[in-house]
Amino acid sequence: MSLSVDIAHTFGDFSLQVTFQAEGGITALFGRSGAGKTSVINAVAGLLRPDQGRITLSGETLFDGDTQTFLPSAKRRLGYVFQDARLFPHLSVRDNLTFGSRYAPPTAPGPSLEDVLSLLGLRDLLDRAPGRLSGGEKQRVALGRALLSKPRMLLMDEPLASLDAPRKQEILPYLERLRDGPLGLPILYVSHAVDEVARLADTLVLLGNGRVQAQGPLYEVMADPAAVPLLGVREAGAVIEAEVIQHAADGLSRLRISGGDLLLPGVQADPGARVRLRVLAQDVMLSVKRPDGLSAVNILPVKIETVHQGEGPGAAIALRAGQDRLLARVTRRAVAELQLAPGMGCFAIIKATSVAPGSIGR
Amino acid sequence: MSLSVDIAHTFGDFSLQVTFQAEGGITALFGRSGAGKTSVINAVAGLLRPDQGRITLSGETLFDGDTQTFLPSAKRRLGYVFQDARLFPHLSVRDNLTFGSRYAPPTAPGPSLEDVLSLLGLRDLLDRAPGRLSGGEKQRVALGRALLSKPRMLLMDEPLASLDAPRKQEILPYLERLRDGPLGLPILYVSHAVDEVARLADTLVLLGNGRVQAQGPLYEVMADPAAVPLLGVREAGAVIEAEVIQHAADGLSRLRISGGDLLLPGVQADPGARVRLRVLAQDVMLSVKRPDGLSAVNILPVKIETVHQGEGPGAAIALRAGQDRLLARVTRRAVAELQLAPGMGCFAIIKATSVAPGSIGR
Amino acid sequence: MSIDAAAWDALRLSLWVACFATLIAVPLALWIAWLLARRDFPGKATLNALVHLPLVLPPVVTGYLLLVAFGRNAPLGRALDSLGLTLAFHWSGAVLAAIIMSFPLMVRAMRLAIEAVDPKLEEAAATLGAPGWAVFGRVTLPLIQPGILAGAVMGFAKAMGEFGATITFVANIPGQTQTLPSAIWAALQIPGGEGQAIAMVLMACAVAVGAVALSEALARRVARRISGA
Amino acid sequence: MSIDAAAWDALRLSLWVACFATLIAVPLALWIAWLLARRDFPGKATLNALVHLPLVLPPVVTGYLLLVAFGRNAPLGRALDSLGLTLAFHWSGAVLAAIIMSFPLMVRAMRLAIEAVDPKLEEAAATLGAPGWAVFGRVTLPLIQPGILAGAVMGFAKAMGEFGATITFVANIPGQTQTLPSAIWAALQIPGGEGQAIAMVLMACAVAVGAVALSEALARRVARRISGA
Amino acid sequence: ERLVVFAAASLRGALDEIAAGFDGEVALSYGGSGAIARQVAAGAPADAMLLANPKWMDWLEGEGIIAPGTAFVIASNRLVLIGPQDHAPIDPEQLPELLGTGRLAMGQRDAVPAGTYARQWLESAGLWEALRTRLAETDNVRAALALVARGQAPFGIVYATDARAEAGVAILYEVPPESHAPIRYLATALTERGQSFLAHLASPAAKAIFAAHGFAEVSR
Ligand SMILES: Nc1ncnc2c1ncn2[C@@H]1O[C@H](COP(=O)(O)OP(=O)(O)OP(=O)(O)O)[C@@H](O)[C@H]1O
Ligand SMILES: Nc1ncnc2c1ncn2[C@@H]1O[C@H](COP(=O)(O)OP(=O)(O)OP(=O)(O)O)[C@@H](O)[C@H]1O
Ligand SMILES: [Mg+2]
Ligand SMILES: [Mg+2]
């Protein structure tokens, strides 16, 4: 299933001109407040009719400005989780949740009410009116409502912004399962939170000021030192794939990446499975000689590819470990003292605990 | 200015029973979705009349269930930033912003419209109707509106949840200035984001299920290994105060804490100023001997105070560096291999870049 | 037939006519209100003015126009007649007059309610796959219940009180078209008839009080459901 | 006096009376609507029923009651008279009749609008320090403008069309208390008067069309402002 | 200062003409007899009044609003049975059959004077019992006329003055005046200035106008 968006629209002073492709999986729209993320997602949902352009989903034209094609929202079968929850105030939580189920083709696959209730912790709220829910509870109901309409694709506009970290940690794996399960449910996901994006997204579209600033597969965009300022210094970091080798008794697991083995805690996948690791640039230290007596247990030999000096006191360093790319953020002083330069070999020290379970996916 | 809250209230199944004191500065209410944060803040604002209890602000009784005292919202002069923005739909952004200014005593100190416009980036939106704003823009207007009503105290219900990281980095220092400036504006701040809380709060109230789970000065609650599960493993970490000694040409600054000196980037304060540092437990590594050849430039001699083994594969280790307390999170395997135990002396390695500018305050 | 019996008859008939008129007018008014609130079409302004016309014209004129449009010799009247729906001197004619007279009140209240519905909720329903009619039935309609109720109670009250158009169109036939207002009017035309008139006015008041109280009780239930309080 | 001149006089008087009545009734109706929507007090049900009463009673009865209460020989009428406010047989009486008759329509529309206002917005205004009246004036009032407008246009139309109560209370004195509906009715009372009546009915229609068009234009502006679209 | 005269609506056509010939400005306020009587009792600023229903004049006397015996008859009228335009005259005895399922239009039997006279005639003609459930009673005689003119009711009983002027109907039978109480329009002055108008009403010119409108002459 592939979504292709190529639209232009103007609101007063603001002009939106966005072209991107999403080939299944999760596509993240990332950008600052007012960048145009909600507008794009509205156009895909059929709530905004762009001035011109074309939107297609798996070959079906949802909108075409040239031929005046505009498929109404109700026929698009896209589950939209709104930035504001937009629950139906006159319906109970239960009726909100099941609102859309009768319009889906009976054979369409999708989660059951039971699944959604346990995932989102809504069981005790079923008979509650939306006016009596807390902010986060509303958002959860909105998410459940969209899931239960058995959509062909999910559109999520900051669905987790008002949720606490533990709840997010429950929902994120579920979204991954939706993406990876038999449904292969594609998701268009708007978020400000880089860690969510890094964990979930297959494709990353960086929006700024109504324009696409960068787009491409997550691994590429995230490991590109030039994207660091767009993502935020503290949030930049490479995403790499690893194979689970074995679990040890103390909870650490051995994972293999092309450049060597890593010991990480909290890995749920079975041995043999492939998982996604996010390694924050700031969690990677560099050492010119192999250190010992350190609590960090992950030490990889790497080669420096580029040294990208930003405007501040830090530098982003692209590293190659086997076939994988890593990103390290160190001070300029360290660059000078250790004489770090492209082509140089050194050791990357990755704290075992700094790859949190939350950023391990797939 | 001190706020004292001692209330009990019941909504159907949910019962709220909360007692806490906030002695000026910023008090963070932290807790999971549905914990009762909005309910508490509503009671303080006068939008919820608790079944019983007492709320006082600087000696003035806002609510007293025994004497049936209930000061109406309008007389409390508390600036409330709602979880949902609640802008007046019929007023332009400008009129929303200035709505409350005429009710404040003319001599009351407070920011000017100009200040707020630049801080929140609202200058281009002044004549816009709220219906034409993006989610984050709405939230910014709501924040500006509360600030411009010149309140005695700010009540903020997740005001930054829908804002992007760069904007947050602009607003947080401003809130700190409000707190520390001549106004000494106290703030009651609801948040899910530990980093915001750690950066801003003076007092931390951990709410769970309508009850206070832990409360106290931020330094104490944050450095308590027992609070790690409440805050989230990845977010735990001590907060310490440091004095700025000098800024070097490469952007690193030397800061002095009681246990030694640290070199950190992005410190804005002048030499001599005291700043607050948040040192995430997971950013602290332990080494039994002093390491060399490392890109990490901050190495402090520390003494292990307690070793707190959690349920997972990690352990939280409380350290004393001079008078300051630090928290390190290491794997159990490291505890075993390095034979870490209370009373033992070792070296804490703190990556310079891991104390991001965002978590340095005051 | 004693006077009192006639008054009771008139009351019964009035209640019947008013209930019937309200039942028929509510869906019709809802449709027109929806058209006026949500659609653009040629002739919208005309339709809108037409709906208000019975308010502006003296009821006698409305009654006369009804006679012209639905009389036995008028094509429309004849067509209805052949369908077995006789309006002339029949309570159904009184129902028609009551519908027309209460129509502006109903349409206005319902339109106001429809215009107050947040289109974002309707959009949300559409994204969940609900076709247009389902969006209306499951979202718009429940949300405008207070407006429907307000329109219905105003329309009912107006239908109970309608006099001029009714008597002009279907005259004043005891048991058939003599509604309470007609009876009250007749009583007032006779010197010393005030006593009887007062008795019937009190009946009308009782109905008004009852209808209003009922509608308030319903409105409270609806409001509780909608606000979720 | 030529017939046409009398018709123009009646039109002028009706417009004057309807405008005046609307101007007075709007704030009053708004207050009552607010009381009914937002307050609880003893006698609320009674007040509510009372407001609806002019709908339920035949207008003649309302006129008769007005005559009894405000006639020149009635204590109330005499008291007002001595204050220089003559109601009976004066255009100001027609205004009073129009106010009373249009009141239920206005109150209902406004109440519906008030009840639809999200109390959260009013709460937000209160937290910004706005006292009760300011919350009403700066938040509630602007948000209910569509309701006020709807009430006003219905009330105006009703005031233009009011006949039974008016003719009973202030009679039908040309140039003084003869409103357009009274003139139309009088024209219909003589053989061959239909021509005149039709001319005046057309006048009334023109006014209705104009008032409705004006209110729609205003409503569109208001709606645009409120929705911010 | 213009004279204000309250008058029964059915007098309107003639009265407008008569007032035009009066030396002075006259405002004529038309209404139902009951309404006028009540308004006068409530202190209406009328200089004179003309009622179609003697009962209300009696009521005013009884209430002490006007002095007994001051009211006098200024015009009279006749009842006629009307039907469709091209219908042949009929014998009232046939009325019950001719009506078929239709109804006989007339003023309300108690409230409208024309209705009361019609009822008296039907009673004296022995037709009341057969017809009383087959009536279409209206709030004024003009409405009854309209019902017949529009074909809504096949027959009706109205004043001759109304029937004459309506092209859509034919007079099928002239009701004998002695079969019901005399149809009398009563006038009375309420002020000094009203007297002059009443005097004008009694003038030959006025009488001619009444006659031209079909009102019957009355002998005092
Ligand atoms: N109806 C409208 N009229 C005028 N401008 C609009 C309208 N809707 C949106 N905008 C503007 O378009 C821009 C993009 O809005 P959009 O809602 O898509 O932003 P966003 O990326 O979702 O932001 P946020 O993260 O704050 O929700 C904003 O600058 C907004 O002010
Ligand atoms: N009016 C109400 N009636 C019944 N229950 C309510 C009502 N308002 C809130 N609650 C319940 O009270 C609890 C606390 O709600 P509150 O809004 O204070 O939570 P919160 O901590 O602000 O959560 P969130 O982070 O999701 O906004 C929730 O479980 C909620 O469902
Ligand atoms: Mg958005
Ligand atoms: Mg909340």
Side-chain angles (χ1 to χ4, degrees):
Chain A
M1 189 161 283
S2 84
L3 174 75
S4 140
V5 174
D6 175 9
I7 52 172
H9 191 76
T10 307
F11 291 118
D13 298 340
F14 181 80
S15 96
L16 187 73
Q17 197 157 351
V18 168
T19 307
F20 68 90
Q21 299 271 337
E23 300 292 342
I26 298 181
T27 303
L29 283 177
F30 185 88
R32 294 194 59 170
S33 169
K37 306 179 294 297
T38 300
S39 305
V40 169
I41 220 167
N42 276 344
V44 174
L47 302 182
L48 172 74
R49 186 177 182 142
D51 294 337
Q52 59 192 77
R54 219 174 121 80
I55 302 176
T56 59
L57 181 64
S58 304
E60 184 187 10
T61 301
L62 303 184
F63 165 71
D64 190 329
D66 294 336
T67 63
Q68 296 292 319
T69 310
F70 186 77
L71 196 68
S73 280
K75 298 222 173 111
R76 297 194 181 189
R77 294 194 51 227
L78 305 174
Y80 192 162
V81 185
F82 295 91
Q83 194 167 4
D84 47 335
R86 297 204 199 174
L87 300 184
F88 303 120
H90 59 294
L91 298 179
S92 67
V93 167
R94 183 196 309 276
D95 292 344
N96 265 284
L97 286 171
T98 58
F99 188 95
S101 43
R102 69 176 73 167
Y103 306 113
T107 57
S112 71
L113 182 59
E114 276 309 302
D115 296 348
V116 165
L117 291 182
S118 355
L119 170 70
L120 300 171
L122 296 174
R123 209 174 295 279
D124 294 340
L125 305 177
L126 272 178
D127 297 312
R128 200 76 81 69
R132 298 166 160 235
L133 297 177
S134 79
E137 286 163 352
K138 278 185 195 140
Q139 202 58 42
R140 283 183 267 157
V141 176
L143 177 55
R145 181 176 72 170
L147 289 173
L148 287 169
S149 73
K150 300 185 180 171
R152 297 191 289 176
M153 179 171 187
L154 265 182
L155 309 177
M156 308 181 78
D157 198 352
E158 299 188 40
L160 309 185
S162 54
L163 294 186
D164 51 286
R167 178 67 64 189
K168 275 187 200 172
Q169 295 312 332
E170 285 164 42
I171 294 176
L172 289 174
Y174 182 78
L175 294 178
E176 288 165 343
R177 287 203 297 281
L178 283 179
R179 172 192 62 189
D180 302 330
L183 302 181
L185 189 68
I187 302 179
L188 188 59
Y189 192 95
V190 166
S191 179
H192 293 129
V194 187
D195 59 343
E196 272 170 45
V197 168
R199 170 168 179 174
L200 289 173
D202 299 296
T203 307
L204 184 55
V205 179
L206 294 179
L207 272 189
N209 231 328
R211 299 287 182 285
V212 175
Q213 306 285 349
Q215 69 167 309
L218 179 79
Y219 298 92
E220 284 176 20
V221 178
M222 291 292 284
D224 181 357
V228 171
L230 287 168
L231 292 166
V233 164
R234 193 168 166 74
E235 301 289 354
V239 178
I240 52 181
E241 267 203 0
E243 188 191 346
V244 180
I245 303 297
Q246 101 192 58
H247 298 296
D250 60 3
L252 286 189
S253 307
R254 180 173 297 276
L255 290 99
R256 180 153 303 156
I257 61 172
S258 58
D261 283 6
L262 296 175
L263 285 172
L264 299 177
V267 178
Q268 303 292 343
D270 288 332
R274 299 195 68 78
V275 298
R276 178 189 286 194
L277 303 180
R278 176 175 177 219
V279 184
L280 284 184
Q282 64 180 11
D283 285 341
V284 177
M285 283 191 293
L286 294 179
S287 179
V288 287
K289 46 185 174 179
R290 178 175 285 274
D292 62 350
L294 261 180
S295 67
V297 286
N298 294 308
I299 297 167
L300 291 177
V302 294
K303 214 174 95 182
I304 295 178
E305 292 207 319
T306 51
V307 176
H308 189 90
Q309 304 251 356
E311 296 203 353
I317 300 184
L319 308 168
R320 185 164 293 275
Q323 277 94 61
D324 293 306
R325 295 176 78 192
L326 284 175
L327 208 56
R329 188 171 153 74
V330 300
T331 58
R332 285 198 197 183
R333 180 174 297 192
V335 172
E337 282 184 359
L338 303 179
Q339 290 176 298
L340 303 177
M344 176 178 165
C346 57
F347 294 89
I349 306 166
I350 302 166
K351 285 194 64 192
T353 49
S354 69
V355 183
S359 55
I360 299 185
R362 183 163 281 178
Chain B
M1 190 162 280
S2 83
L3 175 75
S4 140
V5 174
D6 175 9
I7 53 171
H9 191 76
T10 308
F11 290 119
D13 299 340
F14 180 79
S15 96
L16 188 72
Q17 197 156 349
V18 168
T19 307
F20 69 90
Q21 299 271 337
E23 301 292 342
I26 298 181
T27 304
L29 283 178
F30 185 89
R32 294 194 58 170
S33 170
K37 306 179 294 296
T38 300
S39 306
V40 169
I41 219 167
N42 276 343
V44 174
L47 302 181
L48 173 74
R49 188 176 180 142
D51 294 336
Q52 57 192 78
R54 219 174 122 78
I55 303 175
T56 60
L57 181 64
S58 304
E60 184 187 10
T61 302
L62 303 183
F63 165 70
D64 190 331
D66 294 337
T67 62
Q68 296 292 319
T69 310
F70 185 76
L71 196 69
S73 281
K75 298 223 173 108
R76 297 194 180 189
R77 295 194 49 227
L78 305 173
Y80 192 163
V81 185
F82 295 91
Q83 193 166 6
D84 47 334
R86 296 204 199 174
L87 300 185
F88 302 120
H90 58 295
L91 297 180
S92 66
V93 167
R94 183 195 310 275
D95 293 344
N96 266 284
L97 286 172
T98 57
F99 188 95
S101 42
R102 68 174 75 168
Y103 306 113
T107 56
S112 71
L113 181 59
E114 277 307 304
D115 296 347
V116 165
L117 291 182
S118 354
L119 170 71
L120 300 170
L122 297 173
R123 208 175 294 280
D124 293 341
L125 305 176
L126 273 178
D127 298 312
R128 199 74 83 68
R132 297 166 159 234
L133 297 178
S134 81
E137 286 164 350
K138 279 186 194 138
Q139 202 58 42
R140 282 183 267 157
V141 176
L143 176 54
R145 181 177 72 171
L147 289 173
L148 286 170
S149 72
K150 300 186 181 171
R152 297 190 290 175
M153 180 170 185
L154 265 182
L155 309 177
M156 309 181 79
D157 198 351
E158 301 188 40
L160 309 185
S162 54
L163 294 186
D164 51 286
R167 180 66 66 187
K168 274 188 201 173
Q169 295 312 330
E170 285 164 43
I171 293 176
L172 290 174
Y174 182 78
L175 294 179
E176 287 165 344
R177 287 204 299 281
L178 282 179
R179 173 191 62 188
D180 301 331
L183 303 181
L185 189 69
I187 302 179
L188 188 58
Y189 192 97
V190 167
S191 179
H192 293 129
V194 186
D195 59 345
E196 272 170 43
V197 167
R199 171 169 180 173
L200 289 173
D202 299 297
T203 308
L204 183 55
V205 179
L206 294 178
L207 272 189
N209 231 328
R211 299 287 182 285
V212 174
Q213 307 285 349
Q215 69 166 310
L218 179 79
Y219 300 91
E220 284 176 20
V221 179
M222 291 293 282
D224 181 358
V228 171
L230 287 168
L231 292 166
V233 165
R234 193 166 165 72
E235 300 290 353
V239 177
I240 52 181
E241 267 202 1
E243 188 191 342
V244 180
I245 303 298
Q246 99 193 62
H247 299 296
D250 61 1
L252 286 190
S253 307
R254 179 172 297 276
L255 290 99
R256 180 154 302 155
I257 62 172
S258 59
D261 283 6
L262 297 174
L263 284 171
L264 299 178
V267 177
Q268 303 293 345
D270 287 334
R274 298 194 69 78
V275 298
R276 178 189 286 193
L277 302 179
R278 175 174 177 220
V279 185
L280 283 184
Q282 64 180 11
D283 285 342
V284 178
M285 283 190 295
L286 294 178
S287 179
V288 288
K289 46 185 173 175
R290 178 176 286 271
D292 62 351
L294 260 181
S295 68
V297 285
N298 295 309
I299 298 167
L300 290 178
V302 294
K303 215 173 96 183
I304 294 177
E305 292 208 320
T306 52
V307 175
H308 189 90
Q309 304 251 355
E311 297 201 354
I317 300 183
L319 308 167
R320 186 164 292 276
Q323 278 92 59
D324 293 309
R325 296 176 77 193
L326 283 174
L327 209 56
R329 187 171 155 72
V330 300
T331 59
R332 285 199 196 185
R333 179 174 298 190
V335 173
E337 281 183 0
L338 302 180
Q339 291 175 295
L340 303 176
M344 178 178 163
C346 58
F347 294 90
I349 305 166
I350 302 167
K351 284 195 64 192
T353 48
S354 69
V355 184
S359 55
I360 299 185
R362 181 162 281 177
Chain C
M1 197 192 290
S2 97
I3 294 151
D4 283 290
W8 285 115
D9 273 358
L11 174 65
R12 211 171 302 127
L13 183 71
S14 268
L15 281 172
W16 171 248
V17 166
C19 289
F20 215 88
T22 309
L23 278 180
I24 297 175
V26 162
L28 220 68
L30 191 56
W31 182 57
I32 300 287
W34 183 81
L35 282 181
L36 291 176
R38 289 290 169 87
R39 292 279 133 151
D40 264 322
F41 50 92
K44 178 169 168 176
T46 315
L47 177 65
N48 195 7
L50 213 65
V51 164
H52 283 85
L53 220 52
L55 274 179
V56 178
L57 294 180
V60 192
V61 172
T62 308
Y64 188 73
L65 293 176
L66 283 174
L67 203 56
V68 171
F70 294 97
R72 282 211 170 132
N73 296 336
L76 208 57
R78 226 176 286 151
L80 286 177
D81 225 13
S82 71
L83 293 174
L85 183 64
T86 309
L87 296 174
F89 308 125
H90 192 259
W91 60 262
S92 52
V95 169
L96 178 63
I99 289 174
I100 301 255
M101 294 303 284
S102 56
F103 214 60
L105 317 189
M106 291 196 168
V107 170
R108 258 296 168 176
M110 293 177 190
R111 180 175 165 192
L112 204 54
I114 293 173
E115 281 169 346
V117 170
D118 186 352
K120 293 188 167 188
L121 293 175
E122 295 171 327
E123 284 179 3
T127 65
L128 292 167
W133 52 267
V135 173
F136 183 78
R138 297 182 72 195
V139 178
T140 319
L141 196 62
L143 289 175
I144 60 172
Q145 272 181 45
I148 295 178
L149 211 60
V153 71
M154 275 210 290
F156 178 83
K158 178 70 206 164
M160 279 297 298
E162 213 310 290
F163 161 63
T166 307
I167 200 167
T168 307
F169 181 39
V170 292
N172 183 12
I173 301 160
Q176 195 67 247
T177 64
Q178 185 176 52
T179 57
L180 201 56
S182 299
I184 293 174
W185 170 83
L188 278 176
Q189 298 311 306
I190 304 162
E194 289 86 354
Q196 262 181 65
I198 287 171
M200 289 187 282
V201 163
L202 290 180
M203 280 179 181
C205 291
V207 171
V209 169
V212 167
L214 183 71
S215 83
E216 293 297 321
L218 280 175
R220 255 194 304 279
R221 268 190 37 194
V222 166
R224 204 170 325 120
R225 215 154 63 89
I226 292 183
S227 79
Chain D
M1 196 195 293
S2 99
I3 293 149
D4 284 288
W8 286 115
D9 273 357
L11 175 64
R12 211 171 303 127
L13 183 72
S14 266
L15 281 172
W16 171 248
V17 165
C19 290
F20 214 86
T22 308
L23 279 180
I24 298 176
V26 162
L28 219 69
L30 191 57
W31 181 58
I32 300 286
W34 183 80
L35 282 180
L36 290 175
R38 288 289 168 88
R39 293 279 132 151
D40 264 322
F41 51 92
K44 177 169 167 174
T46 316
L47 177 65
N48 195 7
L50 212 64
V51 164
H52 283 84
L53 219 53
L55 274 179
V56 178
L57 294 180
V60 190
V61 171
T62 308
Y64 179 61
L65 293 176
L66 285 174
L67 199 60
V68 170
F70 295 99
R72 288 209 170 146
N73 304 332
L76 203 58
R78 228 176 286 152
L80 286 176
D81 226 11
S82 69
L83 293 174
L85 183 64
T86 309
L87 293 174
F89 311 111
H90 191 259
W91 63 263
S92 53
V95 171
L96 179 63
I99 291 174
I100 295 207
M101 295 302 286
S102 56
F103 215 60
L105 317 188
M106 291 196 168
V107 170
R108 258 298 168 177
M110 293 178 191
R111 177 173 168 193
L112 204 53
I114 293 173
E115 281 168 347
V117 170
D118 187 352
K120 293 189 169 189
L121 293 176
E122 295 172 326
E123 285 178 3
T127 66
L128 292 167
W133 52 266
V135 173
F136 182 79
R138 298 183 70 195
V139 177
T140 321
L141 196 62
L143 289 174
I144 61 173
Q145 272 182 43
I148 295 178
L149 211 60
V153 70
M154 274 209 291
F156 178 83
K158 178 71 205 166
M160 279 298 298
E162 212 311 291
F163 161 64
T166 307
I167 199 172
T168 309
F169 182 35
V170 296
N172 187 9
I173 308 169
Q176 206 164 323
T177 63
Q178 184 175 62
T179 58
L180 200 58
S182 300
I184 293 173
W185 175 83
L188 283 173
Q189 296 309 305
I190 49 164
E194 287 85 357
Q196 267 179 59
I198 287 171
M200 289 188 282
V201 164
L202 291 179
M203 279 180 184
C205 291
V207 171
V209 169
V212 166
L214 183 70
S215 83
E216 292 297 320
L218 280 175
R220 255 194 304 278
R221 270 192 34 197
V222 166
R224 204 169 325 121
R225 215 154 62 90
I226 292 182
S227 78
Chain E
E1 187 58 17
R2 58 181 196 165
L3 219 61
V4 177
V5 176
F6 279 29
S10 52
L11 287 170
R12 180 168 176 195
L15 218 49
D16 278 348
E17 263 182 59
I18 293 167
F22 180 67
D23 178 24
E25 209 187 328
V26 182
L28 285 154
S29 173
Y30 294 105
S33 297
I36 291 172
R38 285 213 170 84
Q39 286 166 346
V40 167
D47 296 296
M49 66 171 163
L50 288 76
L51 298 186
N53 188 343
K55 280 192 213 154
W56 281 108
M57 208 51 105
D58 298 343
W59 178 78
L60 282 169
E61 286 179 8
E63 295 283 300
I65 309 293
I66 58 172
T70 54
F72 63 96
V73 179
I74 52 136
S76 168
N77 210 339
R78 299 176 59 116
L79 280 188
V80 292
L81 179 68
I82 55 168
Q85 212 170 359
D86 43 4
H87 205 279
I90 59 166
D91 178 354
E93 299 291 330
Q94 303 169 284
L95 209 46
E97 289 143 65
L98 287 174
L99 266 179
T101 59
R103 286 182 177 269
L104 178 65
M106 60 179 239
Q108 213 276 340
R109 62 184 82 163
D110 310 307
V112 179
T116 310
Y117 299 130
R119 172 189 179 171
Q120 288 167 353
W121 166 53
L122 292 174
E123 280 170 348
S124 71
L127 293 167
W128 180 248
E129 279 311 311
L131 292 175
R132 49 166 251 196
T133 58
R134 297 161 72 181
L135 303 175
E137 293 163 279
T138 60
D139 62 332
N140 65 65
V141 74
R142 300 282 311 167
L145 182 68
L147 288 177
V148 179
R150 301 296 320 171
Q152 192 78 349
F155 305 107
I157 304 171
V158 301
Y159 288 130
T161 47
D162 294 314
R164 278 162 46 108
E166 172 61 62
V169 300
I171 296 174
L172 309 182
Y173 177 74
E174 306 236 1
V175 176
E178 59 281 4
S179 65
H180 54 79
I183 302 172
R184 296 178 308 163
Y185 295 90
L186 295 176
T188 193
L190 298 162
T191 65
E192 210 52 43
R193 299 172 64 228
Q195 292 290 1
S196 63
F197 186 71
L198 291 198
H200 178 65
L201 279 181
S203 68
K207 288 214 163 100
I209 294 171
F210 273 128
H213 281 266
F215 290 99
E217 184 87 31
V218 282
S219 46
R220 246 196 253 184

